[in-house]
Amino acid sequence: MSASGNNWFGEQISEALSQTPAAPASVAYEGAFQLTSIVDVSGLALAAMTAAAQQLAALVGAEKVSIDRRLAELWCGMTLKPEGWALPEAWDPIAGNYRTRDGWIRLHTNVPRHLSAALRVLGADADRDAVAQKVLLWNRLELEQAVVEAGGVAAAMSGLPGWAAHPQGRAVATEPLIHWHEGPWSKSRVPAFAASLDGLRVLDLTRVLAGPVATRFLAGFGASVLRIDPPHWREDGLEPEITLGKACASLDLNEANGRARFETLLSEAHVFVHGYRPGALDRLGYGEFRRREINPDIIDVSLSAYGWTGPWRERRGFDSIVQVNSGLAKEGMKRLGADKPVQLPIQALDHATGYLMAAAALCALRQQRADGRARSARLSLARTAHLLISNGVRVPTAPSSSETRAAELPEMTHWGPGRRVAFPVALDGRAPVWRRQAAPFGSAKAEWPTREP
């Protein structure tokens, strides 16, 4: 264990980014970790955030990076405290862990169609007790398969050995942490950055939560981020967190005008970040070949839940779901002596993967400036879980120091005033500045935001 957290994570991440070696900026750490877990979630989060900060520093010419350990943990959760208004609940009431005839299963029902799929399979109303009674009649693997085939999201709890032996677990273990693909040479259009990412255009087609974390980081350090969602898509409990610094618009990619506008935006972007399942954009007519046809220079960073190979590569998934499949929730249950699955104290898979996506985008931009080649980077929650598990599991111990109050800054959002935890990272003493206030999806036009909203 190094003074910065877990140096092993840093080494693994550096290797994943090593196609673009750079003289790293000096990094100074302060503060102390407070979280306890069966795996080193704090070390992983810090290492991923450090990688993003170092790639940013190398791109914009900063010499010093400072990171606060405790704030890094807090930015892996909800950072905004409303004043005079309330955040909607982030979780649907039906979402969560349920006991089956032969173990446990987790249902993810935050998306209305995913909720409908689970209720159809179970023949239950949207009542938690009624759902629990129905789930008890099923075997966990059979219910998982039925919900997935119905278009829903579910995870039958597995142990670490079970996941390691599973065809998808074996496939993920052979994948690189970041899968790079180098495109053909083309004239580089990378802006000349000085101190910030001002001038960088990032097109964001991501959902909860890793992708939005990546683009929020880029927005904080100067990038113009335009998030595109389907009409009527909502994530009410998370929007004040994940829209900070971004313009959020809606387009229907099944409709001619929406497609035309999207293609124009894609042709103008420097970076495209997307979180559609493998094959989903292809079915919309925007596979990688078509994207490169529209914009040969685009840096393309993509995310999947379960990886890019194996039988589950097209399966829907989220951080909490991958925790259950990968054995983390069962291992927490066992090591803590609990009578039900134990989730990690933070959604470390989402947040760490998000900062790795930001690091990959910045790494690719710097390399593009050097050799004119546009690159694609693929990451997944399951591969990040493999990284976390490979570092080892343990019985949690109490933090070595007493908790201290985190600094908070006043902020005005679309919904009202609040206070947000100070961001952990500063470059040459400069903290990020998000130029646009957090606002609902679809609240802006589908056009690149100006410097001042």
mmCIF file with all atom_site columns, all heavy atoms in Angstrom, residues 66-79:
data_model
loop_
_atom_site.group_PDB
_atom_site.id
_atom_site.type_symbol
_atom_site.label_atom_id
_atom_site.label_alt_id
_atom_site.label_comp_id
_atom_site.label_asym_id
_atom_site.label_entity_id
_atom_site.label_seq_id
_atom_site.pdbx_PDB_ins_code
_atom_site.Cartn_x
_atom_site.Cartn_y
_atom_site.Cartn_z
_atom_site.occupancy
_atom_site.B_iso_or_equiv
_atom_site.pdbx_formal_charge
_atom_site.auth_seq_id
_atom_site.auth_comp_id
_atom_site.auth_asym_id
_atom_site.auth_atom_id
_atom_site.pdbx_PDB_model_num
ATOM 1   N N   . SER A 1 66 ? -3.185  17.755 -7.391 1.00 0.00 ? 66 SER A N   1
ATOM 2   C CA  . SER A 1 66 ? -3.469  17.477 -5.978 1.00 0.00 ? 66 SER A CA  1
ATOM 3   C C   . SER A 1 66 ? -4.816  16.774 -5.880 1.00 0.00 ? 66 SER A C   1
ATOM 4   O O   . SER A 1 66 ? -5.767  17.135 -6.580 1.00 0.00 ? 66 SER A O   1
ATOM 5   C CB  . SER A 1 66 ? -3.466  18.759 -5.149 1.00 0.00 ? 66 SER A CB  1
ATOM 6   O OG  . SER A 1 66 ? -4.450  19.670 -5.612 1.00 0.00 ? 66 SER A OG  1
ATOM 7   N N   . ILE A 1 67 ? -4.880  15.767 -5.005 1.00 0.00 ? 67 ILE A N   1
ATOM 8   C CA  . ILE A 1 67 ? -6.095  14.972 -4.849 1.00 0.00 ? 67 ILE A CA  1
ATOM 9   C C   . ILE A 1 67 ? -6.320  14.694 -3.367 1.00 0.00 ? 67 ILE A C   1
ATOM 10  O O   . ILE A 1 67 ? -5.397  14.282 -2.654 1.00 0.00 ? 67 ILE A O   1
ATOM 11  C CB  . ILE A 1 67 ? -6.005  13.637 -5.619 1.00 0.00 ? 67 ILE A CB  1
ATOM 12  C CG1 . ILE A 1 67 ? -5.679  13.879 -7.092 1.00 0.00 ? 67 ILE A CG1 1
ATOM 13  C CG2 . ILE A 1 67 ? -7.307  12.850 -5.499 1.00 0.00 ? 67 ILE A CG2 1
ATOM 14  C CD1 . ILE A 1 67 ? -5.588  12.614 -7.932 1.00 0.00 ? 67 ILE A CD1 1
ATOM 15  N N   . ASP A 1 68 ? -7.546  14.877 -2.928 1.00 0.00 ? 68 ASP A N   1
ATOM 16  C CA  . ASP A 1 68 ? -7.944  14.599 -1.553 1.00 0.00 ? 68 ASP A CA  1
ATOM 17  C C   . ASP A 1 68 ? -8.597  13.213 -1.486 1.00 0.00 ? 68 ASP A C   1
ATOM 18  O O   . ASP A 1 68 ? -9.584  12.957 -2.173 1.00 0.00 ? 68 ASP A O   1
ATOM 19  C CB  . ASP A 1 68 ? -8.920  15.671 -1.064 1.00 0.00 ? 68 ASP A CB  1
ATOM 20  C CG  . ASP A 1 68 ? -9.247  15.517 0.414  1.00 0.00 ? 68 ASP A CG  1
ATOM 21  O OD1 . ASP A 1 68 ? -9.960  14.555 0.759  1.00 0.00 ? 68 ASP A OD1 1
ATOM 22  O OD2 . ASP A 1 68 ? -8.821  16.366 1.211  1.00 0.00 ? 68 ASP A OD2 1
ATOM 23  N N   . ARG A 1 69 ? -8.056  12.334 -0.665 1.00 0.00 ? 69 ARG A N   1
ATOM 24  C CA  . ARG A 1 69 ? -8.547  10.960 -0.595 1.00 0.00 ? 69 ARG A CA  1
ATOM 25  C C   . ARG A 1 69 ? -10.003 10.886 -0.130 1.00 0.00 ? 69 ARG A C   1
ATOM 26  O O   . ARG A 1 69 ? -10.813 10.153 -0.695 1.00 0.00 ? 69 ARG A O   1
ATOM 27  C CB  . ARG A 1 69 ? -7.668  10.129 0.347  1.00 0.00 ? 69 ARG A CB  1
ATOM 28  C CG  . ARG A 1 69 ? -6.228  9.977  -0.086 1.00 0.00 ? 69 ARG A CG  1
ATOM 29  C CD  . ARG A 1 69 ? -5.485  9.075  0.885  1.00 0.00 ? 69 ARG A CD  1
ATOM 30  N NE  . ARG A 1 69 ? -4.059  9.038  0.609  1.00 0.00 ? 69 ARG A NE  1
ATOM 31  C CZ  . ARG A 1 69 ? -3.167  9.894  1.088  1.00 0.00 ? 69 ARG A CZ  1
ATOM 32  N NH1 . ARG A 1 69 ? -3.581  10.895 1.877  1.00 0.00 ? 69 ARG A NH1 1
ATOM 33  N NH2 . ARG A 1 69 ? -1.894  9.786  0.801  1.00 0.00 ? 69 ARG A NH2 1
ATOM 34  N N   . ARG A 1 70 ? -10.321 11.600 0.922  1.00 0.00 ? 70 ARG A N   1
ATOM 35  C CA  . ARG A 1 70 ? -11.687 11.525 1.453  1.00 0.00 ? 70 ARG A CA  1
ATOM 36  C C   . ARG A 1 70 ? -12.684 12.096 0.463  1.00 0.00 ? 70 ARG A C   1
ATOM 37  O O   . ARG A 1 70 ? -13.763 11.534 0.244  1.00 0.00 ? 70 ARG A O   1
ATOM 38  C CB  . ARG A 1 70 ? -11.781 12.259 2.800  1.00 0.00 ? 70 ARG A CB  1
ATOM 39  C CG  . ARG A 1 70 ? -13.190 12.268 3.416  1.00 0.00 ? 70 ARG A CG  1
ATOM 40  C CD  . ARG A 1 70 ? -13.750 10.876 3.536  1.00 0.00 ? 70 ARG A CD  1
ATOM 41  N NE  . ARG A 1 70 ? -15.097 10.866 4.109  1.00 0.00 ? 70 ARG A NE  1
ATOM 42  C CZ  . ARG A 1 70 ? -15.997 9.917  3.905  1.00 0.00 ? 70 ARG A CZ  1
ATOM 43  N NH1 . ARG A 1 70 ? -15.703 8.877  3.130  1.00 0.00 ? 70 ARG A NH1 1
ATOM 44  N NH2 . ARG A 1 70 ? -17.187 9.988  4.450  1.00 0.00 ? 70 ARG A NH2 1
ATOM 45  N N   . LEU A 1 71 ? -12.337 13.208 -0.184 1.00 0.00 ? 71 LEU A N   1
ATOM 46  C CA  . LEU A 1 71 ? -13.246 13.775 -1.180 1.00 0.00 ? 71 LEU A CA  1
ATOM 47  C C   . LEU A 1 71 ? -13.409 12.833 -2.373 1.00 0.00 ? 71 LEU A C   1
ATOM 48  O O   . LEU A 1 71 ? -14.485 12.762 -2.974 1.00 0.00 ? 71 LEU A O   1
ATOM 49  C CB  . LEU A 1 71 ? -12.731 15.133 -1.654 1.00 0.00 ? 71 LEU A CB  1
ATOM 50  C CG  . LEU A 1 71 ? -12.695 16.254 -0.601 1.00 0.00 ? 71 LEU A CG  1
ATOM 51  C CD1 . LEU A 1 71 ? -12.162 17.534 -1.219 1.00 0.00 ? 71 LEU A CD1 1
ATOM 52  C CD2 . LEU A 1 71 ? -14.075 16.485 0.008  1.00 0.00 ? 71 LEU A CD2 1
ATOM 53  N N   . ALA A 1 72 ? -12.351 12.093 -2.714 1.00 0.00 ? 72 ALA A N   1
ATOM 54  C CA  . ALA A 1 72 ? -12.463 11.117 -3.799 1.00 0.00 ? 72 ALA A CA  1
ATOM 55  C C   . ALA A 1 72 ? -13.500 10.062 -3.464 1.00 0.00 ? 72 ALA A C   1
ATOM 56  O O   . ALA A 1 72 ? -14.291 9.649  -4.320 1.00 0.00 ? 72 ALA A O   1
ATOM 57  C CB  . ALA A 1 72 ? -11.106 10.466 -4.060 1.00 0.00 ? 72 ALA A CB  1
ATOM 58  N N   . GLU A 1 73 ? -13.541 9.604  -2.226 1.00 0.00 ? 73 GLU A N   1
ATOM 59  C CA  . GLU A 1 73 ? -14.576 8.656  -1.805 1.00 0.00 ? 73 GLU A CA  1
ATOM 60  C C   . GLU A 1 73 ? -15.959 9.275  -1.910 1.00 0.00 ? 73 GLU A C   1
ATOM 61  O O   . GLU A 1 73 ? -16.905 8.652  -2.415 1.00 0.00 ? 73 GLU A O   1
ATOM 62  C CB  . GLU A 1 73 ? -14.337 8.221  -0.364 1.00 0.00 ? 73 GLU A CB  1
ATOM 63  C CG  . GLU A 1 73 ? -13.128 7.335  -0.151 1.00 0.00 ? 73 GLU A CG  1
ATOM 64  C CD  . GLU A 1 73 ? -12.951 6.962  1.310  1.00 0.00 ? 73 GLU A CD  1
ATOM 65  O OE1 . GLU A 1 73 ? -13.315 7.780  2.197  1.00 0.00 ? 73 GLU A OE1 1
ATOM 66  O OE2 . GLU A 1 73 ? -12.443 5.858  1.572  1.00 0.00 ? 73 GLU A OE2 1
ATOM 67  N N   . LEU A 1 74 ? -16.097 10.515 -1.442 1.00 0.00 ? 74 LEU A N   1
ATOM 68  C CA  . LEU A 1 74 ? -17.406 11.155 -1.419 1.00 0.00 ? 74 LEU A CA  1
ATOM 69  C C   . LEU A 1 74 ? -17.932 11.411 -2.827 1.00 0.00 ? 74 LEU A C   1
ATOM 70  O O   . LEU A 1 74 ? -19.145 11.375 -3.060 1.00 0.00 ? 74 LEU A O   1
ATOM 71  C CB  . LEU A 1 74 ? -17.335 12.464 -0.639 1.00 0.00 ? 74 LEU A CB  1
ATOM 72  C CG  . LEU A 1 74 ? -17.096 12.309 0.869  1.00 0.00 ? 74 LEU A CG  1
ATOM 73  C CD1 . LEU A 1 74 ? -16.880 13.668 1.524  1.00 0.00 ? 74 LEU A CD1 1
ATOM 74  C CD2 . LEU A 1 74 ? -18.246 11.569 1.538  1.00 0.00 ? 74 LEU A CD2 1
ATOM 75  N N   . TRP A 1 75 ? -17.034 11.650 -3.781 1.00 0.00 ? 75 TRP A N   1
ATOM 76  C CA  . TRP A 1 75 ? -17.468 11.866 -5.163 1.00 0.00 ? 75 TRP A CA  1
ATOM 77  C C   . TRP A 1 75 ? -17.812 10.558 -5.873 1.00 0.00 ? 75 TRP A C   1
ATOM 78  O O   . TRP A 1 75 ? -18.144 10.559 -7.055 1.00 0.00 ? 75 TRP A O   1
ATOM 79  C CB  . TRP A 1 75 ? -16.436 12.682 -5.938 1.00 0.00 ? 75 TRP A CB  1
ATOM 80  C CG  . TRP A 1 75 ? -16.723 14.149 -5.804 1.00 0.00 ? 75 TRP A CG  1
ATOM 81  C CD1 . TRP A 1 75 ? -16.432 14.948 -4.745 1.00 0.00 ? 75 TRP A CD1 1
ATOM 82  C CD2 . TRP A 1 75 ? -17.405 14.982 -6.742 1.00 0.00 ? 75 TRP A CD2 1
ATOM 83  N NE1 . TRP A 1 75 ? -16.887 16.224 -4.959 1.00 0.00 ? 75 TRP A NE1 1
ATOM 84  C CE2 . TRP A 1 75 ? -17.488 16.278 -6.185 1.00 0.00 ? 75 TRP A CE2 1
ATOM 85  C CE3 . TRP A 1 75 ? -17.945 14.768 -8.007 1.00 0.00 ? 75 TRP A CE3 1
ATOM 86  C CZ2 . TRP A 1 75 ? -18.096 17.345 -6.836 1.00 0.00 ? 75 TRP A CZ2 1
ATOM 87  C CZ3 . TRP A 1 75 ? -18.548 15.837 -8.674 1.00 0.00 ? 75 TRP A CZ3 1
ATOM 88  C CH2 . TRP A 1 75 ? -18.617 17.099 -8.092 1.00 0.00 ? 75 TRP A CH2 1
ATOM 89  N N   . CYS A 1 76 ? -17.761 9.467  -5.139 1.00 0.00 ? 76 CYS A N   1
ATOM 90  C CA  . CYS A 1 76 ? -18.291 8.186  -5.636 1.00 0.00 ? 76 CYS A CA  1
ATOM 91  C C   . CYS A 1 76 ? -19.694 7.946  -5.080 1.00 0.00 ? 76 CYS A C   1
ATOM 92  O O   . CYS A 1 76 ? -20.180 6.811  -5.053 1.00 0.00 ? 76 CYS A O   1
ATOM 93  C CB  . CYS A 1 76 ? -17.369 7.039  -5.260 1.00 0.00 ? 76 CYS A CB  1
ATOM 94  S SG  . CYS A 1 76 ? -15.799 7.071  -6.131 1.00 0.00 ? 76 CYS A SG  1
ATOM 95  N N   . GLY A 1 77 ? -20.322 8.999  -4.621 1.00 0.00 ? 77 GLY A N   1
ATOM 96  C CA  . GLY A 1 77 ? -21.690 8.936  -4.124 1.00 0.00 ? 77 GLY A CA  1
ATOM 97  C C   . GLY A 1 77 ? -22.431 10.202 -4.510 1.00 0.00 ? 77 GLY A C   1
ATOM 98  O O   . GLY A 1 77 ? -22.076 10.885 -5.472 1.00 0.00 ? 77 GLY A O   1
ATOM 99  N N   . MET A 1 78 ? -23.459 10.539 -3.744 1.00 0.00 ? 78 MET A N   1
ATOM 100 C CA  . MET A 1 78 ? -24.239 11.743 -4.001 1.00 0.00 ? 78 MET A CA  1
ATOM 101 C C   . MET A 1 78 ? -23.527 12.929 -3.362 1.00 0.00 ? 78 MET A C   1
ATOM 102 O O   . MET A 1 78 ? -23.261 12.935 -2.162 1.00 0.00 ? 78 MET A O   1
ATOM 103 C CB  . MET A 1 78 ? -25.654 11.587 -3.438 1.00 0.00 ? 78 MET A CB  1
ATOM 104 C CG  . MET A 1 78 ? -26.402 10.385 -4.006 1.00 0.00 ? 78 MET A CG  1
ATOM 105 S SD  . MET A 1 78 ? -26.756 10.511 -5.772 1.00 0.00 ? 78 MET A SD  1
ATOM 106 C CE  . MET A 1 78 ? -28.203 11.572 -5.724 1.00 0.00 ? 78 MET A CE  1
ATOM 107 N N   . THR A 1 79 ? -23.214 13.932 -4.153 1.00 0.00 ? 79 THR A N   1
ATOM 108 C CA  . THR A 1 79 ? -22.399 15.047 -3.679 1.00 0.00 ? 79 THR A CA  1
ATOM 109 C C   . THR A 1 79 ? -23.198 16.305 -3.375 1.00 0.00 ? 79 THR A C   1
ATOM 110 O O   . THR A 1 79 ? -22.676 17.228 -2.762 1.00 0.00 ? 79 THR A O   1
ATOM 111 C CB  . THR A 1 79 ? -21.337 15.396 -4.734 1.00 0.00 ? 79 THR A CB  1
ATOM 112 O OG1 . THR A 1 79 ? -21.993 15.837 -5.935 1.00 0.00 ? 79 THR A OG1 1
ATOM 113 C CG2 . THR A 1 79 ? -20.457 14.195 -5.043 1.00 0.00 ? 79 THR A CG2 1
#
